[in-house]
Amino acid sequence: MRIEDIQVPGKLSKTETELRVSFLEHVGMIPGGEKLKACIQCGTCTGSCPVSYAMDIPPRELIALFRAGDLETIFRSNSIWTCASCYACQVRCPAAIKITDIIYALKQTAMERKIYSRKFPVHAIYNAFMKNMRRFGRLNEPRLMTYYFLISGFWKAFAFLPLAFRMAVKGRLDYRASKIKDIKNLRKILKAAEQLDMPVEYEVKPYMESAVGYKAVG
Amino acid sequence: MQYTYYPGCSLHSAHKGYDESCKSVFEALGCSLQELPDWNCCGATIYMSNREFTSLAVAARNLALAEAQQQDLVAPCSACYRVLNKSNHYFHNSGELLEKVNGCLAEAGLHYCGTVRVRHPLDVLINDVGLEIIRHQVKKPLHGLKIANYYGCQIVRPEHVFDDCENPMTMDNLFESLGAENVYFPFKVSCCGGMLMTTTENVALRLSKEILENARENAADCIVTTCPLCQMNLEAYQRRINRVYGTRLSMPILFFTQVMGVALGIDEKRLGISRNFYRCERLETIARSASESHYATTVNA
Ligand code: SF4
Ligand code: SF4
């Protein structure tokens, strides 16, 4: 059975179905992503996670909620924006589930469906990053931070001023962005890739007895 | 031995010390690093986690450029190392994906076949050069220097390419053979908080604090790391940690190539040590001491 065929009992709302289609599309990209259905709910991931104490929904429950057909709750929580990408959960999972990559798939779904969290301005950093990339082809950290403060609240910048000063004294702050020579071609690559990265069309799968609930996960 | 060098954005700006020391150490050991011509940003964790396909295409441009050089690609920054390796892994796993990416690269007249090996300098130094040869080059053994080896996350996880993911030992072995003492440091692969330092500061401060305090409790003179982001979080935010938690930390955070460079007798200026915020006095004493030329023979005997 393919990962896309996992359905849940009952009728899903339109939003939920859309989220699911999009999420499973991203999971399909991960090598070994289909193992998601083999989770034994042991909690090793939550126990290994250094930030689970700060998550509304810890990693194990993310997977439980996906199975229960409730991605919407996940997107209302702070969990996916709190993950630090440390991969501790992923290397320890006894069922070899690519948990960090699955959290990435959730983030990608959120970005695609424009579900932003106001408290966790990751999308602000992301947009700043995008701009930088398109313009220079390389990242300039001070500029990135400037964009970020402009989008997420300029008062935050004040707290960073002393640090910026100390960095500058040590010759570690350079506002001049270095631009790659072949920026024209990089922009072409970016444009072509972004077109392929567009959201997938959503389609409602017919209800299948065998693809429901625990039957689907074996 | 010759390698293509991928410094990445942060080694060209906030972490010049890593860039300088890496080049100096490789040169002292007779390896040449040639910078990848016109490389672009690898995409970093933030791009990878939010727009996967685009980030793969961006990484593929670097890999395609590196393929033309026909050498292993050395990436010192943990995030670059991870992203380039991960992209490679995806391309090996799915020919269809590689084809799609090549479709985008064709816009720029590039093509990637998937043959580049992405390596970390630590891997190259231990496995290509070897501890035996490094030991013979030691001019100023690091006697009396107590080191907390901090590997961070992304060079050992999720794929353990050259070391174990729970208890890596390459850096410990390296510094032991340079004469230093490795302190007990159970936080060697704990997370420093990474990008959370910008988005969810209180969480990242706590994680970094735990790492710093543990190093101090175990009487380390300095923390030695391989990752620019870890270095930044542990060093530049130490003041804020002190303010928030009322601690009195002043732990020097050095790149492993900087400490190694001192042992190899390279001039401090070429290692960028003065760019760090906290001075490590014991290391400075070693750097000022006279060269010994019999280190390797005494160790072997
Ligand atoms: S560690 Fe793996 S198997 Fe255990 S709960 Fe987490 S995802 Fe499921
Ligand atoms: S990768 Fe994310 S979810 Fe997994 S242990 Fe690290 S912080 Fe927690």
Side-chain angles (χ1 to χ4, degrees), chain A residues 48-51 55 59 83-89 100 103:
Chain A
S48 305
C49 177
V51 299
M55 286 181 171
C83 167
S85 305
C86 76
Y87 292 95
C89 51
T100 316
I103 291 179

Side-chain angles (χ1 to χ4, degrees), chain B residues 19-244:
Chain B
D19 184 44
E20 290 156 354
S21 58
C22 219
K23 286 181 188 154
S24 307
V25 164
F26 269 73
E27 193 192 304
L29 293 169
C31 300
S32 91
L33 289 179
Q34 291 136 1
E35 190 164 320
L36 181 67
D38 210 34
W39 52 271
N40 57 273
C41 170
C42 70
T45 314
I46 173 113
Y47 215 28
M48 186 57 110
S49 57
N50 290 299
R51 269 277 183 272
E52 191 148 57
F53 184 73
T54 316
S55 93
L56 287 172
V58 165
R61 178 176 179 271
N62 289 316
L63 292 169
L65 290 174
E67 200 164 49
Q69 312 284 323
Q70 298 183 327
Q71 289 163 3
D72 286 358
L73 186 65
V74 173
C77 166
S78 295
C80 302
Y81 174 76
R82 168 76 195 120
V83 165
L84 295 174
N85 248 333
K86 180 176 179 176
S87 313
N88 238 346
H89 183 63
Y90 274 42
F91 297 149
H92 290 166
N93 186 67
S94 157
E96 197 187 323
L97 183 67
L98 184 58
E99 221 168 87
K100 240 168 101 181
V101 164
N102 272 325
C104 301
L105 288 182
E107 298 276 326
L110 292 168
H111 184 83
Y112 181 52
C113 306
T115 59
V116 175
R117 274 216 302 170
V118 184
R119 322 248 336 247
H120 194 271
L122 189 57
D123 175 17
V124 172
L125 290 173
I126 296 280
N127 296 319
D128 290 10
V129 180
L131 285 180
E132 204 47 46
I133 291 181
I134 295 175
R135 206 183 280 143
H136 275 90
Q137 298 291 328
V138 171
K139 305 272 175 356
K140 296 174 181 174
L142 304 172
H143 294 312
L145 184 70
K146 291 196 186 132
I147 290 182
N149 291 289
Y150 181 58
Y151 296 76
C153 307
Q154 300 203 339
I155 70 164
V156 285
R157 289 193 296 259
E159 286 105 24
H160 39 282
V161 180
F162 64 94
D163 211 338
D164 188 68
C165 44
E166 300 281 354
N167 186 19
M169 285 303 287
T170 33
M171 216 168 21
D172 295 66
N173 294 339
L174 173 66
F175 284 114
E176 195 182 279
S177 69
L178 297 179
E181 182 187 330
N182 298 314
V183 302
Y184 171 68
F185 190 48
F187 279 73
K188 58 159 77 163
V189 291
S190 299
C191 177
C192 70
M195 270 301 277
L196 294 184
M197 204 52 106
T198 3
T199 51
T200 330
E201 199 185 75
N202 54 347
V203 174
L205 284 180
R206 177 167 147 172
L207 296 178
S208 292
K209 183 199 80 159
E210 282 168 3
I211 294 166
L212 289 164
E213 279 197 322
N214 188 269
R216 190 178 59 182
E217 276 162 22
N218 291 310
D221 293 321
C222 59
I223 294 181
V224 171
T225 183
T226 54
C227 171
L229 191 56
C230 299
Q231 206 271 352
M232 183 81 172
N233 282 353
L234 294 180
E235 183 188 60
Y237 287 86
Q238 233 175 93
R239 251 197 210 174
R240 197 166 301 190
I241 290 170
N242 285 341
R243 191 150 7 101
V244 173

Side-chain angles (χ1 to χ4, degrees), chain A residues 114-176:
Chain A
K114 299 206 172 14
I115 310 168
Y116 301 145
S117 156
R118 234 182 313 141
K119 254 175 85 195
F120 298 90
V122 176
H123 64 281
I125 297 199
Y126 169 76
N127 288 334
F129 196 99
M130 256 327 285
K131 267 203 180 127
N132 224 289
M133 184 71 120
R134 220 175 272 136
R135 201 155 151 214
F136 304 112
R138 282 186 196 166
L139 173 67
N140 180 277
E141 280 155 342
R143 275 175 196 257
L144 180 69
M145 293 310 281
T146 315
Y147 281 133
Y148 170 65
F149 291 134
L150 282 177
I151 301 173
S152 72
F154 68 92
W155 64 89
K156 286 190 199 157
F158 290 108
F160 274 86
L161 282 179
L163 177 56
F165 179 73
R166 288 166 79 207
M167 298 283 288
V169 168
K170 295 282 183 189
R172 286 166 60 174
L173 191 125
D174 202 345
Y175 207 78
R176 291 164 303 170

Side-chain angles (χ1 to χ4, degrees), chain A residues 99-111:
Chain A
I99 307 160
T100 316
D101 293 331
I102 283 169
I103 291 179
Y104 285 1
L106 287 166
K107 279 192 195 175
Q108 287 150 16
T109 309
M111 290 300 292

